[in-house]
Amino acid sequence: MITLIGISGSLRRQSFNTALLRAAAGMMPQGATLQIADISAIPLYNADIESSEGIPPVVAQLKEQIAAANGLLLSTPEYNNAMSGVLKNTIDWLSRPATDIPAVFGGRAVAVMGASPGPFGTLLAQNAWLPVLRTLRTRPWFEGRLIVSRAGAVFSDSGDLVDEKTRGQLQQFVNGFVQFASEARTVTG
Ligand code: FNR
């Protein structure tokens, strides 16, 4: 079984990015599964908390889930032409302590997609992830690209991805990334 962990960078109930991940989970090819992580309980990163209390259990659990998975799928909102703070905060926590970076992120297949109600569909947010993915020595997947613009028109009020063209693009993206993640090798140490 190929396992992907999906993280949406929005805590909003009607988040387009969470809806996009849910749609992806419903399109996984046979033999593959996408588990959507809940990051709502992850606190703001504070080095004092890390020193005094260690890694919060909710973060430690997600680190283990990612370390055991074939790939990580980020669904990123765009805030002020970059990624959302909650998603960056999550990745920052997941990168602690730095000695665990190789096990959690090293060689890990990572794909980034995103949805925005605007005309540019998270293009700049996706670009903003590139130095982060490089720093963490992930294995980013660049063959596919999914930029969902004018998101208000492609999702129903209940958060279903109803636009056929976008569904086709997402299916192609998911298939490509699953194939890549199934071939990816992770590194340790
Ligand atoms: C935005 N939004 C936004 N959209 C965009 O395409 N480019 C941008 O630079 C920004 N900047 C921005 C800043 C801040 C602070 C907010 C709150 C919003 C709009 C954003 O794409 C929209 O709120 C999405 O709906 C957020 O994603 P979710 O919550 O639907 O997943």
Side-chain angles (χ1 to χ4, degrees):
M1 177 65 74
I2 302 300
T3 303
L4 303 183
I5 305 299
I7 306 180
S8 165
S10 173
L11 304 180
R12 202 166 71 86
R13 261 193 315 276
Q14 290 194 293
S15 159
F16 293 125
N17 286 284
T18 306
L20 188 61
L21 263 188
R22 277 200 310 266
M27 288 182 181
M28 292 294 280
Q30 212 175 3
T33 179
L34 172 62
Q35 295 168 7
I36 300 176
D38 178 4
I39 60 166
S40 59
I42 294 182
L44 287 176
Y45 178 75
N46 181 335
D48 292 338
I49 294 180
E50 187 185 351
S51 310
S52 59
E53 298 169 31
I55 303 298
V58 64
V59 174
Q61 193 188 347
L62 186 51
K63 281 172 62 180
E64 277 173 28
Q65 258 185 291
I66 295 170
N70 298 89
L72 177 64
L73 175 58
L74 303 180
S75 189
T76 185
E78 179 166 311
Y79 283 178
N80 297 313
N81 289 175
M83 69 284 274
S84 65
V86 292
L87 190 48
K88 180 63 162 54
N89 179 68
T90 296
I91 299 298
D92 290 343
W93 261 123
L94 293 170
S95 70
R96 301 298 301 165
T99 46
D100 284 352
I101 290 175
V104 177
F105 292 105
R108 181 86 45 222
V110 181
V112 180
M113 61 181 186
S116 152
F120 304 115
T122 72
L123 176 65
L124 293 170
Q126 294 191 29
N127 284 351
W129 278 107
L130 299 179
V132 180
L133 301 181
R134 180 176 55 204
T135 294
L136 296 175
R137 296 174 191 266
T138 66
R139 187 171 176 220
W141 181 59
F142 288 146
E143 285 162 52
R145 185 172 243 194
L146 191 67
I147 292 169
V148 179
S149 53
R150 313 227 183 264
V154 305
F155 291 97
S156 68
D157 288 346
S158 50
D160 293 321
L161 184 57
V162 289
D163 181 71
E164 280 308 317
K165 187 173 166 211
T166 311
R167 288 189 68 81
Q169 290 169 340
L170 178 60
Q171 183 70 71
Q172 211 178 348
F173 186 89
V174 162
N175 289 350
F177 183 52
V178 166
Q179 180 66 32
F180 179 80
S182 72
E183 293 162 357
R185 292 271 178 281
T186 55
V187 294
T188 50

